Amino acid sequence: MDYGTAFLYGVVSGPLPGALIAWPFGLDDRLDHVISALLLTLHGLIFGAVVGALFGMLLHALQGVRRDFASLRSM
């Protein structure tokens, strides 16, 4: 696993938590619940992908590239 793979794993795993956290806040809008919820969910997806990518690369760098468990998927 290299930094690019850690980046991609972070981009893939980050949007769902970001969207699930942002979506309920959009339902609190008094004027238009649907538009607000969809826009905040979209922003949550984008923010989650960015934060997930940064954390994926940061955790990979903090581990010192010593602990590579990518081969465990094939067992």
Side-chain angles (χ1 to χ4, degrees):
M1 178 182 284
D2 58 353
Y3 286 104
T5 308
F7 176 82
L8 288 177
Y9 283 152
V11 167
V12 170
S13 66
L16 184 61
L20 290 176
I21 291 171
W23 175 66
F25 290 109
L27 295 176
D28 189 38
D29 188 19
R30 304 241 188 267
L31 298 176
D32 195 358
H33 300 291
V34 176
I35 299 297
S36 180
L38 289 176
L39 284 176
L40 276 177
T41 303
L42 177 66
H43 288 122
L45 285 170
I46 295 168
F47 183 74
V50 170
V51 170
L54 291 175
F55 272 114
M57 287 178 45
L58 177 70
L59 291 176
H60 182 68
L62 288 176
Q63 289 177 349
V65 195
R66 290 182 312 241
R67 302 177 66 183
D68 185 10
F69 294 112
S71 62
L72 290 178
R73 279 186 268 147
S74 64
M75 294 178 84

